[in-house]
Amino acid sequence: MRRSINLLLFAYIVGTLFSLELFAQAKLPPSVIKTIYVAPSSHYDFGFVEPPSAIRIRAARHIDEVIRIAESDKDFRWTIESVWQVNEWLKRQKDPSSVLPKNRQKISRLMNLLKSGQVVLSTAWGSMHTDYLGAEELNRLTYDFISLQRAFGISSELAYMNDVPGHPMPIASMLASTGTKYLVTGANTFIANSTDLAPGQVPFYWESQDGKKVLLWISQGNRGAYVEAFTQYYLDPYSLDPYTNRRPFDMFNPELAGKKSDIEMMEIGVTDLLNNYNKAGYKYDAVMAMYAHDFVEPTAVLNLEKAAKLWNSKHDEVKIKIANSPEFFKYIEGKYGSQIPTYKGEWSGLWSEAKTASPRISANGRYAHDHAPMAETLWSAIGMTRKLPVPVGNFAEIYDMMFTYDEHSGAGNTGWPQLNSAEPLRQQNREYVESTIKAKDETDHVISQGLNAIADPSRFEESLSTPDSNTVPLMIYNGLAWNRTDVVRVKPHAEGVRITEIRNLSAGSNVPFDIDEAGNAVFVAANVPSMGYVTYQVRSVPGKSTPTLRPAPGVTNDNARFSVSLNADGSVKSIRDKTLNRELVNNSGSRPFNDLLRVEGADASKVSYPVAAKIQVRNGLRMSEIVVERERSSFPYTRIVIYNDLDRVEIRNELDPDKMPFVGGNNNWHDSYYFAFPFNVSKDGLKVMRGGQRWFDTLPDDYLPGARKDAISTQHAIALSDGKASAYIAHRQGYHWVPAGFVSTKVRPKSAPAEFPAMYTGKYPLPEATLFSRATRWGNQADTADLSILNLETEPGLEDNMVFEYAVAGGRAFDPVRAWRIGSEFNVPLWPQYVGVAPAVRSQTFFGVDNPNVDIVAIKTLSEGSFRGEVTSAPLSPKVNKVFIVRLQEFAGRATTVKVRVPVGIKSAALMNITESVELARVSQVDPLTISLRPYECATVRVEIE
């Protein structure tokens, strides 16, 4: 009997211990959250671990795996993060026996999964540096998705933008205009928060200045955010981190590695999740956790399914549900729609700074941003007036190259320590150099071809010959939507000749000009028609050009509008605006005007000037310049120019990277270089006017709550204003700014204790009206996975100096029209081009608008997709374009009705959504084309020409 009792007692004890191990349930913190929606995906950097060419192949292969697993597992869910991945996959779907690149059966398998909702495709081309994008490039961010939609009948209401910790407001407007209702962004905050609205106030309706909005979910975390379900909340205790081949729980909890069961690891993670949302005041009964990692395989979802099944068998108080993001959004909208808050605001600026690591590559990219729409508009005019086919294929290639570099991995760089291998990193940098050069060169070539096409007489026109070979017609094209007077620089038409006369053929008069040190003729072309041209004639004679700019004593130059004076070291002492009767420079700022600031890591450092600056003042007929030469310095050259007929002061700075000190003296990988611009604007009531793709934001007023404020990226111009006085800066190559107080400007003594970085301690109101233009974040070395420390070129093959050009102007109260125009005119200069014969029409405007607060962003042919595949037995005649798109932007915040000039008659017109895929309303007045615009509206107008 006793033995039986002992056996029973033993069995009871063993059973109890067994049940505690298998069935124990950790007590979770009380929470309103009852369901965790886990959204699987994979994050594909378009670069980073491999060059873009290799990532294209990797991404295409991963979609094959998605198809295979989805078809075998009905519970499998997946979001394809970017449209470019599907583009790459489609390029490779070709039957070996077919001449057409279409494996219809395989393609239909993917499309059926997308139609079913089991697999979701983000509508965005990629996860971009959105505040670096060009204005029209941003407008086309979902165009490739619409092409897929037209071709295959798929749909999506979701956009993903991962890794980048913030975006400008036009993103919300653009996405909403495409029919995208939901935006998910995994904001990598390894430096600091993206906004205080996450996690407590998500999701929220993110509203743009024009009133359009999307429902936004932000996951933010210093491990990448989009990896949160995997590496922070441990909802999959089985899969391994792709970079370490270890379980994330063991990586981040080394003291507990191997000591916790699967369910215990999950319980620790879920407890962390609930505590985070509880602390932030989260109020909904469901939450979303992003399950992804860099290049993670879709097979990982099988482990996630296993983990979810284990969790749900143990816990009733909080359930895990594997789903795609739209399912979560629809649940929240359906249950809490009236409670979801709306926030309007800006939260961009930080990560696009990465592109300053390769400033010459980025300069080529920015050039293409501005000149590709100019080229396309020019060719639309040709298509309308000359009936020539518009080369849409060239523009598709150019935009694809721009998107590739503008994706958030795009920059020549030194890689991530101990992650990148040497040769893939070198190849990545080579590819970025090559693609941006190609985008720029192809854009230039298309513009040149277009102007030649306009000049060439048709068979119905007579051409006028010139008296001799040294008298050559010169077309000057204005790529902007208003008549303008601006500077032109043109070299002689041939070697061994010098320019002696420039004549405006339209006005029948000669124009005065200067000859600069390079032999270029420099003159101001007056009243060049909007998005049109005027014809000049240039006469040359054999001989060498002689500069007309004559040396003058001193360090000061002036004309009727400005007086400019320099300090002995070459920095700017004074810019006096005579029209305003006001000094523009603040000589009491933290650094002199146009001074070069070097920052090692986070600490201000010194720039060496081995030879005293040499300053030369030169005066010409229509221009004056001051040239500063600093021999053997990393800052070897500055040229400051004022023109008699222009209301701006131009500054050209050059940096020589070969003369920069080798990086690393402060235990840092990069040195940052800034140009300082302290303005004479009061700090009382001071605002930063950020010029974005569509309008000017007022900072700090327009920031989302808790958004980063230490970095600003701009499109063409930035301004400072106190409500009474303003200072404007237009910029070409540089685009990234840091306000006063957010960067270290004083070299501390060697023995001084370390300070917290200024990027964290700076604050508004700003201490002074100074902006620092970040020229470059320069690095010399990479810590590679295969070779360890490696001296590396970030811009291989680019040997010229880095160039940074600015235009400065003053004003009274901030004027958005003036700011917009000074930025646009500086970035899209008048285009001079010699042509074989003068065009029959000496001066012509193709397009224009009658209101100064409206811009024509681009004019293009209607997007109809490229999936035609129509082949006939006989060649088809060239396609004549009859339908065009006119993109308008109201940028000053004023409702207006605008009349749009076009060079031909219009048969009909309609307002479209931004992707040209949905007609919104018919336009009743087409002669002239008349459009009503709301404040800040971007309008897409389809016109059918007669």
Side-chain angles (χ1 to χ4, degrees), residues 701-844:
D701 302 10
D702 288 338
Y703 279 121
L704 281 179
R708 295 291 301 276
K709 299 179 177 66
D710 59 297
I712 303 168
S713 292
T714 48
Q715 188 77 185
H716 293 143
I718 190 170
L720 292 167
S721 181
D722 61 9
K724 298 177 182 178
S726 300
Y728 305 92
I729 315 179
H731 52 92
R732 282 190 185 137
Q733 300 82 0
Y735 61 92
H736 191 79
W737 305 84
V738 177
F742 289 91
V743 62
S744 175
T745 59
K746 304 297 183 185
V747 179
R748 295 183 297 109
K750 186 175 182 180
S751 59
E755 293 180 346
F756 209 59
M759 64 185 296
Y760 298 115
T761 60
K763 60 184 178 180
Y764 284 84
L766 298 178
E768 61 183 69
T770 298
L771 291 169
F772 293 90
S773 172
R774 187 194 289 264
T776 183
R777 173 164 57 87
W778 194 244
N780 298 115
Q781 293 184 319
D783 185 4
T784 61
D786 55 342
L787 299 179
S788 189
I789 304 300
L790 180 74
N791 291 358
L792 184 82
E793 288 186 83
T794 56
E795 300 182 295
L798 298 182
E799 303 298 335
D800 292 339
N801 285 347
M802 303 171 182
V803 175
F804 302 93
E805 295 168 297
Y806 306 90
V808 175
R812 294 183 174 87
F814 177 73
D815 181 353
V817 172
R818 186 171 183 221
W820 188 272
R821 289 193 170 186
I822 192 175
S824 298
E825 290 174 1
F826 193 62
N827 280 274
V828 186
L830 294 175
W831 180 286
Q833 181 166 315
Y834 291 110
V835 290
V837 295
V841 180
R842 296 291 190 254
S843 178
Q844 184 174 8

Side-chain angles (χ1 to χ4, degrees), residues 160-183:
Y160 262 40
M161 294 257 199
N162 280 332
D163 221 359
V164 181
H167 302 282
M169 274 190 279
I171 287 292
S173 173
M174 179 275 299
L175 290 174
S177 299
T178 70
T180 301
K181 295 175 62 176
Y182 311 120
L183 172 61

Side-chain angles (χ1 to χ4, degrees), residues 313-467:
S313 71
K314 305 292 185 183
H315 287 276
D316 291 326
E317 67 275 45
V318 178
K319 292 296 185 182
I320 291 177
K321 181 179 179 64
I322 300 173
N324 287 324
S325 300
E327 186 176 346
F328 166 75
F329 281 117
K330 292 179 189 299
Y331 173 79
I332 294 293
E333 280 186 310
K335 188 168 183 178
Y336 300 102
S338 62
Q339 302 177 40
I340 300 174
T342 297
Y343 291 95
K344 179 188 292 186
E346 171 75 17
W347 55 306
S348 69
L350 179 62
W351 270 33
S352 62
E353 175 272 338
K355 286 181 165 52
T356 67
S358 50
R360 290 170 291 193
I361 301 177
S362 297
N364 285 335
R366 282 177 51 80
Y367 181 96
H369 293 171
D370 290 322
H371 288 78
M374 168 181 155
E376 198 166 18
T377 300
L378 172 64
W379 270 96
S380 293
I382 295 167
M384 290 181 182
T385 59
R386 304 297 290 266
K387 310 303 181 186
L388 294 176
V390 176
V392 295
N394 295 88
F395 299 118
E397 288 181 334
I398 291 167
Y399 274 95
D400 187 73
M401 288 184 280
M402 287 194 292
F403 279 139
T404 298
Y405 182 69
D406 298 353
E407 200 269 347
H408 75 288
S409 302
N413 60 75
T414 56
W416 195 269
Q418 280 298 301
L419 177 63
N420 299 89
S421 295
E423 185 50 35
L425 186 57
R426 288 189 178 110
Q427 179 60 22
Q428 169 186 275
N429 292 345
R430 285 192 291 264
E431 289 184 18
Y432 287 139
V433 169
E434 292 163 3
S435 65
T436 51
I437 288 176
K438 184 178 178 182
K440 180 180 184 296
D441 289 350
E442 188 166 348
T443 300
D444 284 350
H445 183 60
V446 173
I447 293 172
S448 178
Q449 286 180 315
L451 291 175
N452 283 329
I454 290 171
D456 288 339
S458 72
R459 64 182 185 276
F460 308 111
E461 296 172 331
E462 296 292 334
S463 63
L464 298 177
S465 59
T466 57

Side-chain angles (χ1 to χ4, degrees), residues 582-656:
R582 183 174 131 231
E583 175 61 49
L584 300 185
V585 172
N586 174 20
N587 278 311
S588 299
S590 54
R591 304 287 294 206
F593 197 97
N594 203 43
D595 177 50
L596 181 65
L597 168 65
R598 176 188 171 207
V599 178
E600 293 188 80
D603 296 317
S605 187
K606 296 179 180 179
V607 176
S608 296
Y609 298 104
V611 179
K614 178 182 178 183
I615 300 174
Q616 296 177 309
V617 179
R618 299 168 183 158
N619 295 322
L621 299 174
R622 310 300 297 171
M623 62 176 286
S624 300
E625 67 179 20
I626 306 177
V627 173
V628 182
E629 294 176 311
R630 308 172 185 87
E631 293 181 37
R632 303 202 304 270
S633 166
S634 58
F635 185 16
Y637 184 83
T638 294
R639 184 178 73 228
I640 301 173
V641 184
I642 51 178
Y643 301 95
N644 291 2
D645 302 304
L646 299 183
D647 190 16
R648 65 179 188 245
V649 177
E650 295 188 0
I651 301 172
R652 177 187 173 101
N653 291 326
E654 295 185 15
L655 299 182
D656 184 351

Side-chain angles (χ1 to χ4, degrees), residues 286-308:
V287 71
M288 183 167 66
M290 301 182 70
Y291 176 87
H293 211 309
D294 296 356
F295 314 109
V296 70
E297 289 296 315
T299 49
V301 177
L302 302 180
N303 286 334
L304 178 63
E305 290 176 356
K306 177 182 174 183

